[in-house]
Amino acid sequence: MLATRTLLSKQTLAVLFRPPACFVHHGDHGNWGNTNVAVVFSGCGWWDGTDVHEGVYTMYHLSRNGARFQMFAPNQQQMHVMDHMRKQPATGENRNMMMESARFSHGQGMTQMQDLSKLDVNTFDAVIFPGGHGVAKNLSSFLKDGKDCKLHNDVERVLKDFHRSRKPIGLASMAPLLACRVLPNIEVTMGYERDDSTRWGNWPHTSLVQAVKSMGARHHDREPYEAYVDEKNKVVSTPSFMWETDYHYHYIFDGIGNMVKHVMRMSTK
């Protein structure tokens, strides 16, 4: 009897301390296996680079759905450094986009930030550009030149290469500006075309919507938790922080999740 109780006790302990099955996760939207995605950054921080939330949410959803990803950024100086507390340029500071973007890196090897000039379309199944003001300041001259802006040479090359190769392109918040400037007749969303403020948030960047429309793109209104899919051009966009909110960041999280889901779906076609 004592031996039986001891055996039962050991079995009970083994069950109690067994790692739960939920630790083995194959993705919320399916497991696409070895999909390899390039993610392009423009620095680190909403006001002068890639928005931290958008960058991290993108990597989270790629990982959650079984994708491999590699991070890239231009190995050049960013336009300026912003004091994110005062929301104004910091004096006497210069920073490199790739070094700043490396703040998103974790670990070694392939998880480290790479020079955007080395991004080869033949190595990847898709590319994603998270948003942030670095899109308008570092990856393009939009802040200065508006709808007539020029893109960073490697950014333009990458967008055209993926489009020409019929490989999907994911875009968050401001990033559609880049694709609309160099890809003809694409369809995107940057949220609402008017600032319809609600108690949940508002849309303060609607002038950017008018800019992409003047570039020849077709715009579709979408909520921050949604994505718009241009199946013909394999371009997927989500509003993200074109919408400003104090607390409801989970809407942005869900929107980027939907964008990633469709990018991965189309990468298997």
Side-chain angles (χ1 to χ4, degrees), residues 157-167 169 183:
R157 172 185 61 82
V158 166
L159 287 167
K160 288 182 175 179
D161 283 352
F162 275 83
H163 187 250
R164 190 182 302 114
S165 300
R166 299 289 299 157
K167 293 183 177 181
I169 298 168
L183 303 181

Side-chain angles (χ1 to χ4, degrees), residues 27 138 206 216 221:
N138 304 330
T206 53
D221 283 4

Side-chain angles (χ1 to χ4, degrees), residues 21-76:
C22 65
F23 283 177
V24 181
H25 192 93
H26 296 293
D28 292 330
H29 308 295
N31 188 349
W32 281 270
N34 291 322
T35 304
N36 198 14
V37 181
V39 185
V40 180
F41 294 82
S42 61
C44 183
W46 168 248
W47 289 105
D48 58 9
T50 293
D51 179 76
V52 174
H53 300 87
E54 294 184 33
V56 172
Y57 293 169
T58 297
M59 293 188 288
Y60 170 89
H61 283 291
L62 286 170
S63 173
R64 194 68 150 169
N65 287 286
R68 293 176 295 153
F69 59 87
Q70 176 65 63
M71 298 178 283
F72 293 89
N75 186 13
Q76 294 179 11

Side-chain angles (χ1 to χ4, degrees), residues 4 25 29 36 77 92 97 108 115 164 178 180 185 240-241:
T4 302
H25 192 93
H29 308 295
N36 198 14
Q77 294 296 107
M97 277 183 271
Q108 299 177 358
D115 190 331
R164 190 182 302 114
L178 305 172
C180 293
N185 303 315
S240 298
F241 283 107

Side-chain angles (χ1 to χ4, degrees), residues 54-214:
E54 294 184 33
V56 172
Y57 293 169
T58 297
M59 293 188 288
Y60 170 89
H61 283 291
L62 286 170
S63 173
R64 194 68 150 169
N65 287 286
R68 293 176 295 153
F69 59 87
Q70 176 65 63
M71 298 178 283
F72 293 89
N75 186 13
Q76 294 179 11
Q77 294 296 107
Q78 60 189 54
M79 177 181 170
H80 58 205
V81 179
M82 289 289 288
D83 180 333
H84 279 63
M85 288 288 291
R86 298 177 179 176
K87 297 181 178 60
Q88 63 186 30
T91 57
E93 288 195 51
N94 296 293
R95 297 186 186 180
N96 177 282
M97 277 183 271
M98 194 168 86
M99 292 176 65
E100 285 298 288
S101 299
R103 294 174 183 272
F104 288 95
S105 301
H106 200 287
Q108 299 177 358
M110 292 300 290
T111 61
Q112 291 297 299
M113 191 65 59
Q114 301 292 319
D115 190 331
L116 183 60
S117 65
K118 298 179 181 178
L119 200 168
D120 182 359
V121 66
N122 297 310
T123 308
F124 294 91
D125 303 300
V127 64
I128 293 176
F129 288 78
H133 283 264
V135 166
K137 296 178 177 181
N138 304 330
L139 301 187
S140 74
S141 65
F142 182 83
L143 186 67
K144 174 185 175 184
D145 301 320
K147 64 181 182 63
D148 299 316
C149 65
K150 293 183 179 180
L151 270 54
H152 182 284
N153 289 340
D154 284 315
V155 171
E156 181 170 352
R157 172 185 61 82
V158 166
L159 287 167
K160 288 182 175 179
D161 283 352
F162 275 83
H163 187 250
R164 190 182 302 114
S165 300
R166 299 289 299 157
K167 293 183 177 181
I169 298 168
L171 308 163
S173 72
M174 293 186 184
L177 289 170
L178 305 172
C180 293
R181 184 70 182 98
V182 296
L183 303 181
N185 303 315
I186 64 173
E187 300 186 29
V188 297
T189 186
M190 297 180 77
Y192 282 18
E193 297 190 14
R194 297 185 307 168
D195 185 9
D196 293 329
S197 300
T198 70
R199 67 192 180 101
W200 305 113
N202 63 297
W203 299 91
H205 306 290
T206 53
S207 62
L208 300 183
V209 174
Q210 303 308 316
V212 300
K213 290 171 69 175
S214 69

